[in-house]
Amino acid sequence: MKKISFLIALCIIATIVSGQRVVKVGAFNFYPGIFQDTDSKVKGFYVDALNEIAEKENIKFEYVYGSWNDGLVRMQNGEVDMLTSVAYSEERAGYMDYTSLPLLTVWGEVYVTPSSYINGILDLKDSKIAIMKGDMNGKRLQELTDKLAITCTFIETPGFEEVFNLIVSGGVDAGVVNNTFGASKYQEFNLRSSGIVFNPFDIFFTVKKNQNRELLETLNKYLGDWEHDRNSVYNQARQKWSNGKVGSIVIVPGWIKNAIYLSSFLIFILILFVVLLRYKVKIATGKVQRGEAMFKAFMENTPAFVYIKDENLNHIYSNKMVKNVKKSTNSNELSSAKIIFEPHVAEMLEQTDRKVLNSELKQIDLQYFCKMKDREIWLHDYKFYLKLPNEKPAIGGISFDVTKLKETEQELIIAKERAEESDRLKSSFLANMSHEIRTPLNSIIGFSELLDDADFEADQKKEFVHQIISNGNNLLNIISDIMDISKMESGEITIRKSKIDVMQFLDEIRSMHVYNVEQKNLRLNIDYLPAESDAVVFVNADKERLQQIFNNMISNALKFTSEGHIQLGFRLTGQMVEFHVKDTGIGIPVDYHHKVFDRFRQVEASYTRKFGGNGLGLAISKNLVELMGGKIWVESEPDKGSAFYFTLPKFG
């Protein structure tokens, strides 16, 4: 029999393996999306994401590694079925089909050595620039420099890492990569961003033209799922491989600071040209006017508070954002910090301004919370020392409203804590559930085997049957709890309300449990309405679910009570009926009162080992009470028993 089972299993495995589809993926060094590690394995967040698809769709992804251009050639020749990180172009659309949703939005960025003179696009004149062969970023920079009549020499390399190696070795003056690779690798190569950022575009999964429609639909489906799930495998993998830097950009771009320094330097040079080279006045003046127009257009439309203060802390320049704040406060003063901000914030800003002016700090970067008019915001300030053309000291400043960023940061922290707590609770629940299920199963199997033993008397076998039935019911209750909590999470549970006679119902509940209670030498009492009221009370609820709530609470009370009594009862509170289940058991610490109704939660692990239970009963009860229009709570102290209360709407 065992051999037959083994052969059947081998046949099933062979069928699954033979039906597995193989998809060849063109891979290249695009860290951290996809790359070949030192162990020769292809890794990255694209690989993690494709692994999820492979597992769920019975697909085997095989990676054909090479340069980016190799991947394009292999796609055209039909040597691979799929590529990652592909920007759209008319040429590529001729031999590839694109997914309808993008993987990322990226942009090109120029990187240089820390000592490089390149701080803006005009500085690229007569420079050597490394680009990856076939890369859309390099192509766009070539087009941009051609439009601006900037003469450059472009040197093609097989990949982004070779671009960085050429910069480090001095073979080129600068290199172009996209921001995803650059943000992850520039520190490793001791490089910096030049501040030249350009050409944002989307990148996609692609497949061979008109040959992989089913694969394309599968990719689109998973991209849609990942887009709306922050905790998806794809999004988690992006954060893991990139340390949260994918798709991010520095809050205060270094090129803004460099643009201010560059403008001051250009003005000085132009003045010198006026004195020494009068015949170039018209050309120089035209350059200054164009530069000022560009500077003003940029500053006026920048979504930040940009300003320059003189040595008396008066604004000698402020953009539209700063001027709008002044208008909203009806302030005509050049320096209006004391009017715009709260006193303690205004004082702090003045102190930092003085430190920059006195050269105690050449630059300062700070975040602070403040109230402005009728709103509360977080501001990120970047201030730096500069000299005006008259050689007097001044302060340049840029302030960003980072309120949404702070709120998102806090939400991420809370979400992370909740996810970690949920994972811990579920792990504990699964470990405990394994014990809870095995215990009745072992009992059922054990007593079933004893029934076949002729040495036992009929009375003993009757007891064995009783134990089998009892443990079978326990196992059924555990499975029912798991099914109920699953239905509640998916919103599939149904409530069927009816008119229920409260006193009659409680008598039925007492009859169901009195035997088990008395077996523990406890008493099961019912609190009826006050004697002066003979009115029959009805509640509007689902009788089966109401019985389930009482069963859970009485089972808990019975589990944690060794002497004394368990008391059921109710009272009227307006249009609600308030039920209670009280016991004289071990009680619950106050710190756990708000946790006992959480799913998978028990007061502490030692209670699980000592008393048993799966931690779902009270969570299910809370959900059922709320679904029937009531609320539930607990009052308890250690060693003083517990009292669970819940309300339901009165009928009529």
Side-chain angles (χ1 to χ4, degrees):
M1 185 64 182
K2 290 183 178 179
K3 290 183 178 179
I4 293 173
S5 300
F6 179 72
L7 289 173
I8 292 172
L10 283 178
C11 290
I12 293 171
I13 293 171
T15 301
I16 293 172
V17 171
S18 64
Q20 190 175 48
R21 181 181 179 184
V22 176
V23 174
K24 292 185 178 181
V25 182
F28 71 108
N29 188 4
F30 179 41
Y31 185 92
I34 189 167
F35 64 97
Q36 191 174 58
D37 209 347
T38 53
D39 59 4
S40 298
K41 292 183 178 180
V42 176
K43 301 177 181 178
F45 59 78
Y46 290 153
V47 178
D48 288 354
L50 290 175
N51 284 344
E52 181 187 29
I53 299 176
E55 181 179 345
K56 293 183 177 180
E57 303 296 335
N58 195 27
I59 296 174
K60 180 180 180 181
F61 290 101
E62 292 184 353
Y63 297 93
V64 181
Y65 194 79
S67 70
W68 169 242
N69 197 62
D70 290 341
L72 294 176
V73 173
R74 285 168 177 159
M75 176 64 86
Q76 293 179 68
N77 295 339
E79 297 176 35
V80 295
D81 305 301
M82 174 180 167
L83 289 178
T84 65
S85 307
V86 185
Y88 181 84
S89 73
E90 293 292 338
E91 177 191 354
R92 293 174 181 176
Y95 61 89
M96 288 187 283
D97 287 326
Y98 287 72
T99 53
S100 58
L101 293 173
L103 291 162
L104 291 172
T105 297
V106 298
W107 50 86
E109 194 160 355
V110 177
Y111 283 86
V112 295
T113 60
S115 60
S116 173
Y117 64 89
I118 297 174
N119 294 296
I121 194 164
L122 297 178
D123 295 334
L124 294 178
K125 184 177 181 181
D126 299 327
S127 63
K128 292 181 180 179
I129 305 171
I131 61 174
M132 182 173 73
K133 186 175 181 180
D135 179 35
M136 195 65 69
N137 298 288
K139 182 178 180 181
R140 292 291 182 263
L141 184 62
Q142 287 178 298
E143 293 172 354
L144 183 60
T145 54
D146 288 344
K147 288 180 181 179
L148 296 175
I150 298 172
T151 305
C152 304
T153 301
F154 289 91
I155 299 174
E156 292 186 336
T157 69
F160 286 150
E161 192 150 331
E162 288 79 1
V163 169
F164 274 9
N165 281 325
L166 268 180
I167 302 172
V168 172
S169 67
V172 294
D173 302 302
V176 178
V177 299
N178 74 28
N179 66 296
T180 303
F181 181 88
S184 301
K185 285 285 191 177
Y186 78 97
Q187 290 179 323
E188 179 183 329
F189 285 83
N190 191 27
L191 299 176
R192 68 172 177 86
S193 171
S194 66
I196 304 171
V197 179
F198 61 95
N199 187 40
F201 59 89
D202 292 333
I203 55 178
F204 302 82
F205 282 142
T206 61
V207 299
K208 183 68 177 174
K209 188 76 174 181
N210 298 327
Q211 293 185 16
N212 290 284
R213 179 59 56 187
E214 182 179 346
L215 175 61
L216 192 67
E217 291 175 356
T218 300
L219 294 172
N220 280 327
K221 173 186 176 296
Y222 279 88
L223 285 171
D225 293 341
W226 295 336
E227 182 181 27
H228 298 97
D229 183 3
R230 182 180 295 176
N231 295 315
S232 67
V233 169
Y234 176 63
N235 289 323
Q236 293 289 340
R238 285 174 57 192
Q239 300 307 313
K240 179 189 78 172
W241 284 105
S242 65
N243 297 316
K245 294 180 181 178
V246 175
S248 64
I249 189 165
V250 178
I251 293 176
V252 182
W255 64 276
I256 296 180
K257 178 185 71 173
N258 295 331
I260 297 174
Y261 286 136
L262 178 62
S263 298
S264 300
F265 178 75
L266 286 175
I267 292 172
F268 175 77
I269 295 297
L270 288 171
I271 293 173
L272 186 61
F273 281 176
V274 169
V275 175
L276 300 177
L277 306 168
R278 292 182 64 87
Y279 68 93
K280 291 186 177 180
V281 169
K282 185 178 290 187
I283 297 174
T285 302
K287 288 184 178 180
V288 171
Q289 289 174 344
R290 288 193 297 274
E292 288 180 347
M294 291 174 62
F295 176 82
K296 183 176 180 181
F298 175 80
M299 289 301 180
E300 289 301 309
N301 292 284
T302 296
F305 304 94
V306 184
Y307 56 87
I308 299 176
K309 294 182 181 180
D310 64 15
E311 57 188 336
N312 297 316
L313 303 184
N314 292 324
H315 285 143
I316 56 176
Y317 170 79
S318 57
N319 72 344
K320 184 167 58 178
M321 292 278 287
V322 178
K323 291 173 183 174
N324 288 341
V325 172
K326 287 185 178 182
K327 288 179 182 178
S328 69
T329 57
N330 297 318
S331 171
N332 294 318
E333 297 182 20
L334 291 173
S335 179
S336 52
K338 292 182 180 179
I339 296 175
I340 296 172
F341 299 105
E342 299 168 276
H344 70 280
V345 176
E347 183 180 354
M348 179 271 293
L349 294 176
E350 184 173 343
Q351 289 176 355
T352 55
D353 286 348
R354 291 294 180 193
K355 287 182 179 180
V356 174
L357 277 173
N358 296 333
S359 297
E360 294 179 36
L361 297 169
K362 286 295 183 183
Q363 59 187 33
I364 190 168
D365 196 350
L366 69 155
Q367 288 187 9
Y368 54 89
F369 178 77
C370 62
K371 294 181 180 179
M372 296 179 65
K373 197 179 178 183
D374 57 349
R375 61 192 178 118
E376 298 178 347
I377 64 171
W378 277 90
L379 287 177
H380 187 122
D381 266 8
Y382 179 73
K383 303 178 184 181
F384 50 91
Y385 175 86
L386 59 85
K387 276 190 177 182
L388 298 175
N390 59 7
E391 294 298 317
K392 289 186 177 181
I395 300 171
I398 305 171
S399 297
F400 292 87
D401 183 347
V402 294
T403 306
K404 290 185 178 179
L405 182 65
K406 280 289 183 181
E407 291 172 352
T408 302
E409 180 183 300
Q410 189 60 34
E411 289 173 0
L412 288 173
I413 291 171
I414 293 171
K416 178 176 177 292
E417 291 174 350
R418 287 177 177 171
E420 290 173 348
E421 175 70 0
S422 176
D423 183 63
R424 186 187 68 78
L425 291 175
K426 286 184 179 180
S427 297
S428 175
F429 165 75
L430 290 174
N432 182 44
M433 189 57 64
S434 174
H435 169 76
E436 289 294 317
I437 292 174
R438 284 201 306 270
T439 299
L441 274 177
N442 288 336
S443 180
I444 292 168
I445 294 169
F447 284 115
S448 297
E449 291 174 349
L450 292 177
L451 285 174
D452 196 37
D453 193 333
D455 293 336
F456 290 100
E457 300 292 335
D459 289 343
Q460 290 176 306
K461 291 185 177 182
K462 185 177 181 181
E463 177 61 24
F464 296 162
V465 171
H466 173 74
Q467 291 294 334
I468 291 171
I469 293 171
S470 176
N471 282 281
N473 287 332
N474 288 341
L475 185 59
L476 183 60
N477 288 336
I478 292 170
I479 295 171
S480 294
D481 282 349
I482 295 172
M483 293 299 294
D484 280 346
I485 206 72
S486 175
K487 286 181 179 179
M488 287 172 183
E489 287 189 343
S490 61
E492 295 178 359
I493 198 160
T494 303
I495 299 296
R496 298 179 178 87
K497 293 185 178 182
S498 62
K499 180 180 179 182
I500 302 171
D501 185 324
V502 174
M503 288 186 287
Q504 180 181 335
F505 175 80
L506 290 179
D507 283 334
E508 293 173 2
I509 291 294
R510 184 182 185 282
S511 298
M512 291 171 57
H513 292 276
V514 67
Y515 175 78
N516 290 333
V517 173
E518 290 178 351
Q519 286 295 105
K520 286 192 67 174
N521 294 321
L522 302 175
R523 300 183 305 280
L524 182 59
N525 304 325
I526 297 180
D527 290 340
Y528 287 106
L529 285 171
E532 63 268 21
S533 175
D534 297 325
V536 178
V537 177
F538 295 96
V539 70
N540 187 23
D542 185 322
K543 187 173 182 179
E544 181 182 343
R545 295 302 183 180
L546 183 57
Q547 180 178 316
Q548 185 178 358
I549 294 167
F550 271 101
N551 288 345
N552 287 335
M553 290 188 175
I554 293 172
S555 295
N556 270 358
L558 190 60
K559 186 190 306 180
F560 296 110
T561 305
S562 58
E563 60 181 22
H565 65 270
I566 299 172
Q567 184 173 284
L568 315 179
F570 71 96
R571 69 186 183 95
L572 290 174
T573 57
Q575 294 301 310
M576 305 295 284
V577 179
E578 181 185 290
F579 294 93
H580 64 258
V581 178
K582 302 178 181 179
D583 62 59
T584 56
I586 62 175
I588 302 171
V590 175
D591 293 345
Y592 286 91
H593 284 191
H594 67 289
K595 299 179 181 179
V596 294
F597 297 108
D598 292 346
R599 61 196 62 182
F600 316 127
R601 174 80 72 173
Q602 292 174 312
V603 172
E604 64 174 274
S606 61
Y607 287 5
T608 301
R609 294 191 294 270
K610 182 177 180 182
F611 296 101
N614 55 43
L616 293 178
L618 289 177
I620 292 172
S621 297
K622 180 177 183 291
N623 275 275
L624 291 175
V625 168
E626 291 175 351
L627 285 171
M628 290 189 288
K631 63 179 182 177
I632 190 169
W633 68 95
V634 63
E635 295 177 2
S636 180
E637 293 182 36
D639 302 322
K640 293 185 179 180
S642 302
F644 285 86
Y645 298 89
F646 65 94
T647 60
L648 291 176
K650 178 182 174 185
F651 189 87

